[in-house]
Amino acid sequence: MSAHDICVSVNGVAHKRAVESRTTLADFLRHDLELTGTHIGCEHGVCGACTVLVDGLSSRSCLMLAAQADGRAVETIEGTAGNDGDLNAIQRAMIEHHGVQCGFCTPGVVMTLIELRRNLNGRPIGEDEVRRALSGNLCRCTGYQGMVDAALAVLNAAGA
Amino acid sequence: MISKLADARKGAHGLIGKSLRRLEDARLLRGAGKFVDDIHLPGMLHAAFLRSPVAHGLIHKLDLAEARALPGIAGVYSWADLRPRWQHDRMPLALHASGIKFDVDPFCLVKDEVCYVGECIAIVVADSRAIAEDAVALIDLVIDPLPAVTDPCDGLMPDAPRARLDTPDNLVALTRIKYGDIDGGFSRAAHVVKERYRLSKGGPHSIETRGLVARYDARDETLTVHSNTQMPHRAKQVLVAALGLGEHQVVVVNPDVGGGFGPKALFHPEELSVPTVAMLLGKPVKWIEDRYESFVSSAQERVQDWDMEGAFDANGRLLAIRGKLSHDHGSSTPYGIALPYNASSNLVGPYVLPAFHIEIALCLTNMVPATSTRGAGRPQGTFVMERLLDRMAKKLGIAREEIRSRNLIKPGQMPYSTPVVMRDGSHMTYDSGDYPECQKRALEAADWAGFATRREAARKNGKLLGIGLANYVEGTGRGPFESASIRVGASGKIMIASGATSQGQGTKTMLAQIAADVLGVAPADVHVVPGDTRATPMGLGAYASRQTVTAGNAIFAAANEVREKAIKTAAVMLEAAAHDLELKDGVVRVKGVPGHRKTLAEIAHAISGVPGFALPGDIAPGLASHVDFQINALAFCNGAHVCEAQVDPGTGHVKLTRYIVVHDCGTIINPMMVDGQVLGAVAHGIGATLFEWMRFDETGQPQTVTYADYLLPTAEVMPRVEIHHMESPSPLNPLGVKGAAESGTIAAPAVIISAVEDALRHLDLHIRDLPLTPPRLLALIKRAQKAGERP
Ligand code: FES
Ligand code: FES
């Protein structure tokens, strides 16, 4: 099995590692870096539980090889709370609106919403658009309504 | 007992009924949850399975040599290799069930005959999962194929091939519900409707798959299994029996669990083979099901064929229903007959049904076992009843809500005992509820009366809009018991342990909320340990929407015992009479005498014991209590759903535009969490009705093994669900609670199909098969249009 030397920035910290060609970014994050907040639900790119941001773009870490992340900046759920460990506005809204049940899809959902929030850049958003943005994250527990409400509340809040 | 506890409620702190934010959330939102795949133990090995590629056949050759020789492999094992470790040839699962003709316990690994695609044949253990999978590919397997049984109706024909060679035929169980004057009902009937339905229900599909990490410590001879099972105590029981260990040698612990929905309650073959190889190798072994494995090897719900007829009088009142249910049971009987029996008994629903006869035939097929997933058969039974009512309403030219009103059980008839005999021999009895009021509120909330205007407005925009209605009941809180213990530490922190388990429902919050309400402490100061056989000697776990009823009442009783003990102890400490004391906000004080007080922490400390000194007042040590709450009768929750569906006749696409639920689960502990359960359950029902279809070809090969082929509902297709509550407390338990986790699924198929038929009423469509995918609906529309064109 051939190996690759890679250097990946994860949540602002540079990691130099040797990885097997076939190691996915998800497995690299979970097993090599022990960042287990990124979850694996299908390993075929549909469920979105493994969503991370790569150079700011939401990506399925189960479909990307670790070697492909060489030289890139990856953001995962572990990097989302503030330095003091405080939850960010999206996370707080998820509690307030009961957007979490088992929590397995949750990290992927939060990463998707972080990207959405950056892209909106303060522009208000309607429910249909939020639902479309979340349609790549399967959740089997909540029926989505809580997370949709959380997103609407945060994304349309003054100063969002 | 009940009235005594109800009195105790009077000291409560007003937390019951509050939408407390969940204790579980912050960790999960940080990505700091600890799920089974997040567990890493030193020296841990990884398992993968060789699974049967065909639905039925005999193993002709199984050569493991090449796989064993691969570097990085710790071991490769077949049934014959592991059999010496086991007490029995098969997994000792048999759940007692009358009606089962032959108990077909599954094999842990195939001995010689493979009975479904995905059945485990060999287990490979390696340094990494990838290497283990490499080795699986090196196993030389040759199977002589046998004909497969893939349909429950075909499989029951006299000349059908056998799904297993070790049973004389495929009819593994034949049972019935039969009461009342069936023949009389049909001979007196003014109208009869006869229909045949073929209902495929969606599977569980928790986003976290099944998995476990097993570790055997030879020094203390203990097997520890970290598993996302819904029933750790049951898993322990099976492991004890299968491996011939003592109860003291087996520990099963739940980490955080990412959804359950039924199948994680079942003990699957991997749950025995992985611990067995961990013992054999003396190293921790992890196995995490991948999604393909989940599609082919996790229990699921599949096809039921219902051939039914209903007899009504001239006013649309039910006289009798009779028919036959042919149920695809899969290749073994790991879970009795609960699924088709629930389906059949739930057909009765909230209606007066004077006579009922259903023959329930369970057919062995060459598929993974069919066991309960959310709703557990009830959506199918409810679907059949509600469709028969809609058909009869149409025949009689009366409104759908009117035929239901004429048949609903009235509140004055409560508790209402049906003649249906339940598992424990008792009669199915609805304990409380106001079904007509529930329907009325749903119609009002939906503005049912104003629908004609909305339909017309939609028509002007070129859309076909329909509205549907369905009522249902669900027997919840299945016994026989659940355990909960509570202990106040000398630090003042409170620990709860329970046999109840958590897969995302908010079990921890629910238990903490009830205890905090009794003791007047902050819920955040209550630490809950669910699903750990070390923390709780006995327990059952999550199934049948039961935990708030069973564990909720257990912790309620236990917390009240602690409350009484705290007062009794404080009476000694304060030299006051117990009846002058009250427990408020975590402090026992003399009523009206400020400053005369003891905190729960001080009280706990006082009776925690100092070597050689007597405890105050000879009170038994420990501010703690353990209660096994016993209950057999089911608490019946009920509800009414109304939805509006927009149908595109050109594509067969159905879009749900409104969805209203009126839900009655008795006393509500946490309204926000109940809403969450209802919402999630409705989503499962919508999936089962419009999207989810586990398909097999005629040889038993699964055709839908990715989420690109098997469609789960997404945020985009889910309508906003509007939930209203009624609270008819259950008289069966002190809290008055009923379960809420599955009920939302039950009415969804019936209400959606009612709305779709209504949207297409000009075509007089009858939808008999689920799920209703766009191609299926389009075919029905085309056929109806063609029939309409004929002179
Ligand atoms: S695990 Fe990557 S999309 Fe499902
Ligand atoms: S919260 Fe369980 S899958 Fe979304």
Side-chain angles (χ1 to χ4, degrees):
Chain A
M1 209 51 59
S2 62
H4 301 259
D5 292 319
I6 61 169
C7 180
V8 191
S9 153
V10 180
N11 301 326
V13 179
H15 296 272
K16 279 195 165 124
R17 299 286 166 115
V19 294
E20 270 188 35
S21 307
R22 64 179 173 182
T23 301
T24 63
L25 176 58
D27 283 347
F28 173 72
L29 292 169
R30 292 181 47 77
H31 302 142
D32 292 41
L33 302 187
E34 292 177 40
L35 295 172
T36 54
T38 298
H39 295 155
I40 291 177
C42 71
E43 289 179 290
H44 54 252
V46 184
C47 77
C50 66
T51 304
V52 299
L53 305 186
V54 178
D55 290 342
L57 292 178
S58 61
S59 311
R60 308 292 206 205
S61 60
C62 72
L63 290 187
M64 186 167 174
L65 296 170
Q68 292 174 297
D70 185 29
R72 296 175 188 270
V74 177
E75 294 166 76
T76 72
I77 188 70
E78 286 88 352
T80 55
N83 286 339
D84 49 2
D86 275 0
L87 299 179
N88 67 30
I90 291 170
Q91 290 163 319
R92 291 197 304 271
M94 288 281 278
I95 297 179
E96 226 26 59
H97 295 272
H98 193 22
V100 182
Q101 286 190 26
C102 76
F104 201 78
C105 70
T106 306
V109 168
V110 171
M111 297 317 289
T112 299
L113 291 177
I114 287 175
E115 180 192 44
L116 179 63
R117 191 184 198 203
R118 287 180 193 161
N119 289 347
L120 288 171
N121 204 9
R123 177 173 71 78
I125 185 169
E127 177 164 351
D128 286 352
E129 206 184 331
V130 166
R131 286 184 180 271
R132 202 165 315 128
L134 284 171
S135 65
N137 292 87
L138 294 176
C139 173
R140 194 56 162 168
C141 299
T142 64
Y144 304 102
Q145 200 156 301
M147 64 179 76
V148 168
D149 288 342
L152 285 169
V154 176
L155 299 174
N156 292 326
Chain B
M1 164 86 173
I2 284 180
S3 62
K4 185 169 154 234
L5 281 167
D7 281 349
R9 283 274 297 120
K10 287 180 191 142
H13 290 78
L15 289 179
I16 302 237
K18 289 258 149 53
S19 287
L20 282 193
R21 297 308 183 250
R22 302 193 334 156
L23 304 175
E24 292 89 342
D25 288 359
R27 284 172 58 242
L28 297 170
L29 278 157
R30 277 196 185 92
K34 190 178 191 187
F35 295 88
V36 63
D37 193 28
D38 303 340
I39 295 172
H40 184 86
L41 301 176
M44 190 169 76
L45 301 170
H46 300 263
F49 289 90
L50 171 70
R51 295 177 181 275
S52 176
V54 298
H56 199 194
L58 289 170
I59 295 180
H60 179 86
K61 179 180 181 193
L62 178 64
D63 185 347
L64 307 175
E66 206 181 331
R68 282 181 173 140
L70 192 74
I73 293 297
V76 182
Y77 309 95
S78 66
W79 181 88
D81 298 320
L82 298 187
R83 177 62 185 88
R85 296 267 162 175
W86 297 327
Q87 303 293 306
H88 315 87
D89 276 5
R90 300 172 186 235
M91 299 201 295
L93 299 188
L95 270 200
H96 171 76
S98 58
I100 292 261
K101 285 201 304 177
F102 14 89
D103 272 320
V104 191
D105 272 338
F107 284 91
C108 179
L109 295 171
V110 171
K111 183 171 171 229
D112 39 38
E113 181 188 3
V114 300
C115 292
Y116 60 94
V117 172
E119 191 168 14
C120 296
I121 295 175
I123 178 170
V124 176
V125 188
D127 291 342
S128 75
R129 174 68 176 248
I131 295 173
E133 289 185 17
D134 291 344
V136 167
L138 297 176
I139 296 174
D140 190 1
L141 170 72
V142 180
I143 293 178
D144 292 333
L146 290 165
V149 178
T150 59
D151 181 279
C153 298
D154 296 350
L156 295 174
M157 303 293 275
D159 55 349
R162 276 181 296 157
R164 317 185 58 106
L165 301 182
D166 52 5
T167 61
D169 57 65
N170 298 324
L171 182 65
V172 66
L174 182 63
T175 181
R176 66 178 53 83
I177 295 172
K178 188 175 184 186
Y179 69 78
D181 180 9
I182 298 286
D183 293 343
F186 274 87
S187 60
R188 279 201 320 279
H191 303 280
V192 171
V193 279
K194 188 166 167 40
E195 285 293 354
R196 185 154 177 187
Y197 302 100
R198 199 172 176 86
L199 310 179
S200 233
K201 182 170 173 282
H205 297 284
S206 52
I207 303 299
E208 182 205 39
T209 53
R210 295 185 294 119
L212 68 157
V213 176
R215 172 172 59 95
Y216 183 72
D217 190 329
R219 292 163 302 185
D220 60 10
E221 298 178 334
T222 302
L223 173 68
T224 303
V225 180
H226 304 267
S227 158
N228 58 19
T229 173
Q230 290 170 225
M231 299 182 69
H233 289 85
R234 160 117 177 110
K236 170 174 169 165
Q237 235 174 36
V238 176
L239 288 168
V240 163
L243 294 166
L245 298 171
E247 275 79 6
H248 61 288
Q249 290 178 286
V250 179
V251 175
V252 181
V253 194
N254 273 159
D256 287 318
V257 178
F261 315 123
K264 283 179 182 168
L266 186 70
F267 189 93
H268 284 77
E270 300 90 346
E271 293 174 70
L272 174 57
S273 55
V274 172
T276 307
V277 295
M279 289 181 74
L280 205 81
L281 293 164
K283 293 234 173 102
V285 178
K286 177 191 273 190
W287 170 72
I288 305 297
E289 181 184 63
D290 69 24
R291 190 51 71 179
Y292 169 76
E293 292 180 291
S294 167
F295 273 103
V296 301
S297 70
S298 271
Q300 53 192 221
E301 281 196 40
R302 281 188 309 267
V303 171
Q304 293 185 338
D305 182 282
W306 296 71
D307 197 357
M308 305 298 294
E309 55 183 335
F312 294 78
D313 73 9
N315 296 318
R317 282 206 180 77
L318 278 159
L319 297 173
I321 289 180
R322 69 183 169 200
K324 176 170 183 181
L325 165 58
S326 305
H327 172 80
D328 166 1
H329 195 65
S331 57
S332 58
T333 59
Y335 214 71
I337 64 167
L339 177 51
Y341 200 83
N342 281 348
S344 303
S345 56
N346 220 60
L347 177 144
V348 178
Y351 304 108
V352 176
L353 177 58
F356 183 32
H357 180 189
I358 185 166
E359 293 287 316
I360 308 165
L362 282 69
C363 179
L364 288 176
T365 59
N366 290 108
M367 294 180 188
V368 71
T371 66
S372 301
T373 71
R374 202 168 194 169
R378 299 178 188 90
Q380 296 93 313
T382 294
F383 182 85
V384 170
M385 174 59 111
E386 296 290 318
R387 302 317 303 134
L388 290 176
L389 289 171
D390 273 8
R391 288 275 286 122
M392 185 48 68
K394 195 183 268 180
K395 205 163 178 172
L396 289 171
I398 60 176
R400 286 172 291 170
E401 67 278 22
E402 178 56 29
I403 196 166
R404 287 173 171 78
S405 296
R406 290 181 191 176
N407 287 289
L408 282 171
I409 295 162
K410 305 285 180 286
Q413 294 172 279
M414 289 290 171
Y416 182 85
S417 179
T418 75
V420 176
V421 179
M422 304 304 283
R423 238 183 251 180
D424 66 349
S426 67
H427 282 182
M428 178 168 87
T429 301
Y430 303 152
D431 49 322
S432 66
D434 185 341
Y435 304 160
E437 177 65 20
C438 185
Q439 173 175 305
K440 182 165 152 267
R441 289 197 195 182
L443 296 175
E444 280 168 12
D447 184 24
W448 179 272
F451 179 70
T453 320
R454 296 198 289 284
R455 190 202 302 273
E456 191 46 30
R459 201 187 55 82
K460 285 201 179 117
N461 287 323
K463 311 262 194 231
L464 296 176
L465 197 64
I467 193 165
L469 164 70
N471 295 309
Y472 67 96
V473 299
E474 184 202 352
T476 71
R478 201 182 286 287
F481 80 97
E482 193 51 271
S483 59
S485 62
I486 177 166
R487 176 171 297 275
V488 182
S491 68
K493 293 276 186 217
I494 294 172
M495 203 184 85
I496 289 175
S498 173
T501 60
S502 175
Q503 296 81 37
Q505 309 91 320
T507 309
K508 291 185 188 179
T509 301
M510 179 269 289
L511 293 172
Q513 187 165 351
I514 293 171
D517 183 64
V518 173
L519 299 175
V521 296
D525 282 338
V526 183
H527 179 75
V528 183
V529 181
D532 183 337
T533 63
R534 284 170 308 196
T536 313
M538 302 235 303
L540 287 165
Y543 56 93
S545 301
R546 66 188 297 272
Q547 300 198 122
T548 303
V549 178
T550 56
N553 279 291
I555 196 62
F556 181 57
N560 273 299
E561 283 181 17
V562 161
R563 179 181 157 278
E564 278 165 30
K565 190 166 185 183
I567 289 178
K568 199 170 143 197
T569 312
V572 177
M573 296 168 76
L574 294 166
E575 295 176 6
H579 61 259
D580 287 334
L581 300 180
E582 61 180 1
L583 171 60
K584 270 243 167 305
D585 303 326
V587 176
V588 179
R589 59 187 111 215
V590 183
K591 290 178 209 159
V593 187
H596 246 61
R597 45 178 276 160
K598 292 285 171 198
T599 64
L600 285 177
E602 289 166 335
I603 298 166
H605 183 74
I607 51 175
S608 62
V610 177
F613 290 88
L615 291 170
D618 273 339
I619 287 169
L623 190 50
S625 163
H626 175 95
V627 170
D628 292 308
F629 181 78
Q630 279 176 269
I631 191 160
N632 292 315
L634 297 173
F636 276 82
C637 82
N638 68 283
H641 290 198
V642 174
C643 85
E644 291 182 18
Q646 187 180 294
V647 180
D648 182 339
T651 62
H653 181 254
V654 175
K655 182 180 161 75
L656 302 179
T657 51
R658 291 183 77 204
Y659 203 110
I660 285 102
V661 176
V662 179
H663 189 259
D664 189 342
C665 60
T667 307
I668 294 177
I669 304 296
N670 184 319
M672 179 191 81
M673 297 202 312
V674 170
D675 283 356
Q677 290 305 301
V678 173
L679 275 165
V682 167
H684 278 240
I686 290 173
T689 311
L690 297 174
F691 302 103
E692 298 177 42
W693 193 1
M694 186 66 205
R695 305 181 73 161
F696 295 81
D697 74 5
E698 65 290 347
T699 69
Q701 275 299 336
Q703 304 294 296
T704 47
V705 293
T706 72
Y707 287 137
D709 306 305
Y710 181 101
L711 304 180
L712 292 177
T714 64
E716 228 181 341
V717 302
M718 273 298 292
R720 179 157 287 273
V721 179
E722 192 183 312
I723 302 169
H724 304 268
H725 295 287
M726 291 176 62
E727 289 193 62
S728 309
S730 173
L732 301 174
N733 64 74
L735 286 169
V737 291
K738 304 174 176 186
E742 294 174 272
S743 78
T745 308
I746 295 171
V751 75
I752 295 166
I753 297 305
S754 182
V756 172
E757 283 190 0
D758 185 50
L760 296 166
R761 61 189 181 155
H762 59 290
L763 294 175
D764 197 24
L765 278 192
H766 295 141
I767 296 166
R768 302 177 177 92
D769 299 342
L770 290 182
L772 183 68
T773 56
R776 276 182 150 181
L777 181 55
L778 196 58
L780 285 173
I781 291 171
K782 291 219 164 112
R783 199 181 315 149
Q785 283 167 340
K786 229 183 230 149
E789 280 161 16
R790 259 183 245 132

